[in-house]
PDB file of all heavy atoms in Angstrom:
ATOM      1  N   ASP G  15      -2.666 119.113  89.516  1.00 97.00           N
ATOM      2  CA  ASP G  15      -3.732 119.340  90.499  1.00 97.00           C
ATOM      3  C   ASP G  15      -3.237 119.346  91.957  1.00 97.00           C
ATOM      4  O   ASP G  15      -4.029 119.179  92.886  1.00 97.00           O
ATOM      5  CB  ASP G  15      -4.849 118.298  90.351  1.00 97.00           C
ATOM      6  CG  ASP G  15      -5.625 118.455  89.052  1.00 97.00           C
ATOM      7  OD1 ASP G  15      -5.465 119.493  88.393  1.00 97.00           O
ATOM      8  OD2 ASP G  15      -6.378 117.527  88.695  1.00 97.00           O
ATOM      9  N   ILE G  16      -1.938 119.578  92.160  1.00 98.00           N
ATOM     10  CA  ILE G  16      -1.416 119.600  93.532  1.00 98.00           C
ATOM     11  C   ILE G  16      -2.021 120.767  94.314  1.00 98.00           C
ATOM     12  O   ILE G  16      -2.419 120.618  95.476  1.00 98.00           O
ATOM     13  CB  ILE G  16       0.118 119.695  93.522  1.00 98.00           C
ATOM     14  CG1 ILE G  16       0.724 118.427  92.928  1.00 98.00           C
ATOM     15  CG2 ILE G  16       0.653 119.918  94.942  1.00 98.00           C
ATOM     16  CD1 ILE G  16       2.233 118.479  92.775  1.00 98.00           C
ATOM     17  N   CYS G  17      -2.115 121.929  93.687  1.00 97.00           N
ATOM     18  CA  CYS G  17      -2.681 123.085  94.394  1.00 97.00           C
ATOM     19  C   CYS G  17      -4.145 122.852  94.737  1.00 97.00           C
ATOM     20  O   CYS G  17      -4.627 123.309  95.786  1.00 97.00           O
ATOM     21  CB  CYS G  17      -2.515 124.354  93.569  1.00 97.00           C
ATOM     22  SG  CYS G  17      -3.333 124.325  91.950  1.00 97.00           S
ATOM     23  N   ILE G  18      -4.848 122.120  93.883  1.00 97.00           N
ATOM     24  CA  ILE G  18      -6.258 121.803  94.155  1.00 97.00           C
ATOM     25  C   ILE G  18      -6.367 120.911  95.379  1.00 97.00           C
ATOM     26  O   ILE G  18      -7.185 121.134  96.276  1.00 97.00           O
ATOM     27  CB  ILE G  18      -6.898 121.129  92.923  1.00 97.00           C
ATOM     28  CG1 ILE G  18      -6.946 122.102  91.746  1.00 97.00           C
ATOM     29  CG2 ILE G  18      -8.298 120.613  93.253  1.00 97.00           C
ATOM     30  CD1 ILE G  18      -7.434 121.495  90.449  1.00 97.00           C
ATOM     31  N   ALA G  19      -5.509 119.899  95.452  1.00 97.00           N
ATOM     32  CA  ALA G  19      -5.551 118.955  96.567  1.00 97.00           C
ATOM     33  C   ALA G  19      -5.147 119.601  97.887  1.00 97.00           C
ATOM     34  O   ALA G  19      -5.653 119.234  98.953  1.00 97.00           O
ATOM     35  CB  ALA G  19      -4.644 117.761  96.274  1.00 97.00           C
ATOM     36  N   GLU G  20      -4.250 120.588  97.813  1.00 97.00           N
ATOM     37  CA  GLU G  20      -3.718 121.181  99.037  1.00 97.00           C
ATOM     38  C   GLU G  20      -4.518 122.360  99.562  1.00 97.00           C
ATOM     39  O   GLU G  20      -4.290 122.810 100.688  1.00 97.00           O
ATOM     40  CB  GLU G  20      -2.264 121.613  98.818  1.00 97.00           C
ATOM     41  CG  GLU G  20      -1.280 120.474  98.799  1.00 97.00           C
ATOM     42  CD  GLU G  20      -1.230 119.744 100.123  1.00 97.00           C
ATOM     43  OE1 GLU G  20      -0.745 120.313 101.110  1.00 97.00           O
ATOM     44  OE2 GLU G  20      -1.705 118.590 100.169  1.00 97.00           O
ATOM     45  N   CYS G  21      -5.454 122.887  98.798  1.00 97.00           N
ATOM     46  CA  CYS G  21      -6.243 124.022  99.273  1.00 97.00           C
ATOM     47  C   CYS G  21      -7.060 123.615 100.495  1.00 97.00           C
ATOM     48  O   CYS G  21      -7.897 122.704 100.414  1.00 97.00           O
ATOM     49  CB  CYS G  21      -7.175 124.515  98.169  1.00 97.00           C
ATOM     50  SG  CYS G  21      -8.223 125.895  98.697  1.00 97.00           S
ATOM     51  N   PRO G  22      -6.865 124.277 101.645  1.00 96.00           N
ATOM     52  CA  PRO G  22      -7.547 123.853 102.874  1.00 96.00           C
ATOM     53  C   PRO G  22      -9.062 123.958 102.809  1.00 96.00           C
ATOM     54  O   PRO G  22      -9.765 123.195 103.481  1.00 96.00           O
ATOM     55  CB  PRO G  22      -6.982 124.795 103.949  1.00 96.00           C
ATOM     56  CG  PRO G  22      -5.711 125.324 103.378  1.00 96.00           C
ATOM     57  CD  PRO G  22      -5.921 125.385 101.896  1.00 96.00           C
ATOM     58  N   ILE G  23      -9.574 124.907 102.006  1.00 95.00           N
ATOM     59  CA  ILE G  23     -11.027 125.100 101.996  1.00 95.00           C
ATOM     60  C   ILE G  23     -11.648 124.764 100.631  1.00 95.00           C
ATOM     61  O   ILE G  23     -12.801 125.095 100.382  1.00 95.00           O
ATOM     62  CB  ILE G  23     -11.397 126.542 102.421  1.00 95.00           C
ATOM     63  CG1 ILE G  23     -10.661 127.571 101.557  1.00 95.00           C
ATOM     64  CG2 ILE G  23     -11.081 126.768 103.892  1.00 95.00           C
ATOM     65  CD1 ILE G  23     -11.073 128.996 101.878  1.00 95.00           C
ATOM     66  N   HIS G  24     -10.870 124.094  99.792  1.00 96.00           N
ATOM     67  CA  HIS G  24     -11.385 123.519  98.536  1.00 96.00           C
ATOM     68  C   HIS G  24     -12.075 124.553  97.644  1.00 96.00           C
ATOM     69  O   HIS G  24     -13.190 124.338  97.175  1.00 96.00           O
ATOM     70  CB  HIS G  24     -12.348 122.367  98.844  1.00 96.00           C
ATOM     71  CG  HIS G  24     -11.760 121.306  99.699  1.00 96.00           C
ATOM     72  ND1 HIS G  24     -10.740 120.483  99.277  1.00 96.00           N
ATOM     73  CD2 HIS G  24     -12.033 120.937 100.986  1.00 96.00           C
ATOM     74  CE1 HIS G  24     -10.412 119.648 100.247  1.00 96.00           C
ATOM     75  NE2 HIS G  24     -11.161 119.904 101.300  1.00 96.00           N
ATOM     76  N   ILE G  25     -11.391 125.659  97.412  1.00 97.00           N
ATOM     77  CA  ILE G  25     -11.968 126.673  96.527  1.00 97.00           C
ATOM     78  C   ILE G  25     -11.235 126.744  95.192  1.00 97.00           C
ATOM     79  O   ILE G  25     -11.544 127.590  94.356  1.00 97.00           O
ATOM     80  CB  ILE G  25     -11.979 128.070  97.193  1.00 97.00           C
ATOM     81  CG1 ILE G  25     -10.566 128.502  97.594  1.00 97.00           C
ATOM     82  CG2 ILE G  25     -12.920 128.095  98.389  1.00 97.00           C
ATOM     83  CD1 ILE G  25     -10.497 129.931  98.120  1.00 97.00           C
ATOM     84  N   ILE G  26     -10.248 125.860  94.990  1.00 97.00           N
ATOM     85  CA  ILE G  26      -9.547 125.790  93.716  1.00 97.00           C
ATOM     86  C   ILE G  26     -10.047 124.558  92.963  1.00 97.00           C
ATOM     87  O   ILE G  26     -10.125 123.456  93.529  1.00 97.00           O
ATOM     88  CB  ILE G  26      -8.021 125.715  93.912  1.00 97.00           C
ATOM     89  CG1 ILE G  26      -7.535 126.928  94.711  1.00 97.00           C
ATOM     90  CG2 ILE G  26      -7.305 125.654  92.570  1.00 97.00           C
ATOM     91  CD1 ILE G  26      -6.053 126.876  95.055  1.00 97.00           C
ATOM     92  N   ILE G  27     -10.403 124.758  91.719  1.00 97.00           N
ATOM     93  CA  ILE G  27     -10.922 123.665  90.895  1.00 97.00           C
ATOM     94  C   ILE G  27     -10.195 123.666  89.553  1.00 97.00           C
ATOM     95  O   ILE G  27      -9.478 124.605  89.220  1.00 97.00           O
ATOM     96  CB  ILE G  27     -12.443 123.800  90.659  1.00 97.00           C
ATOM     97  CG1 ILE G  27     -12.770 125.138  89.960  1.00 97.00           C
ATOM     98  CG2 ILE G  27     -13.214 123.668  91.977  1.00 97.00           C
ATOM     99  CD1 ILE G  27     -14.234 125.314  89.594  1.00 97.00           C
ATOM    100  N   SER G  28     -10.389 122.607  88.781  1.00 97.00           N
ATOM    101  CA  SER G  28      -9.776 122.499  87.465  1.00 97.00           C
ATOM    102  C   SER G  28     -10.724 123.050  86.408  1.00 97.00           C
ATOM    103  O   SER G  28     -11.923 122.726  86.397  1.00 97.00           O
ATOM    104  CB  SER G  28      -9.448 121.036  87.164  1.00 97.00           C
ATOM    105  OG  SER G  28      -8.904 120.894  85.867  1.00 97.00           O
ATOM    106  N   ASP G  29     -10.183 123.907  85.539  1.00 96.00           N
ATOM    107  CA  ASP G  29     -10.998 124.427  84.449  1.00 96.00           C
ATOM    108  C   ASP G  29     -11.415 123.289  83.514  1.00 96.00           C
ATOM    109  O   ASP G  29     -10.582 122.468  83.109  1.00 96.00           O
ATOM    110  CB  ASP G  29     -10.207 125.475  83.671  1.00 96.00           C
ATOM    111  CG  ASP G  29     -11.027 126.099  82.557  1.00 96.00           C
ATOM    112  OD1 ASP G  29     -11.810 127.013  82.858  1.00 96.00           O
ATOM    113  OD2 ASP G  29     -10.892 125.648  81.404  1.00 96.00           O
ATOM    114  N   ARG G  30     -12.683 123.241  83.192  1.00 95.00           N
ATOM    115  CA  ARG G  30     -13.223 122.127  82.413  1.00 95.00           C
ATOM    116  C   ARG G  30     -12.564 122.005  81.042  1.00 95.00           C
ATOM    117  O   ARG G  30     -12.322 120.908  80.541  1.00 95.00           O
ATOM    118  CB  ARG G  30     -14.733 122.290  82.249  1.00 95.00           C
ATOM    119  CG  ARG G  30     -15.409 121.154  81.509  1.00 95.00           C
ATOM    120  CD  ARG G  30     -16.899 121.392  81.415  1.00 95.00           C
ATOM    121  NE  ARG G  30     -17.495 121.504  82.746  1.00 95.00           N
ATOM    122  CZ  ARG G  30     -18.789 121.787  82.949  1.00 95.00           C
ATOM    123  NH1 ARG G  30     -19.585 122.016  81.909  1.00 95.00           N
ATOM    124  NH2 ARG G  30     -19.259 121.870  84.184  1.00 95.00           N
TER     125      ARG G  30
END
Side-chain angles (χ1 to χ4, degrees):
D15 292 347
I16 294 175
C17 61
I18 295 174
E20 285 297 291
C21 178
I23 54 176
H24 305 293
I25 58 174
I26 302 175
I27 59 176
S28 177
D29 183 82
R30 183 179 301 176

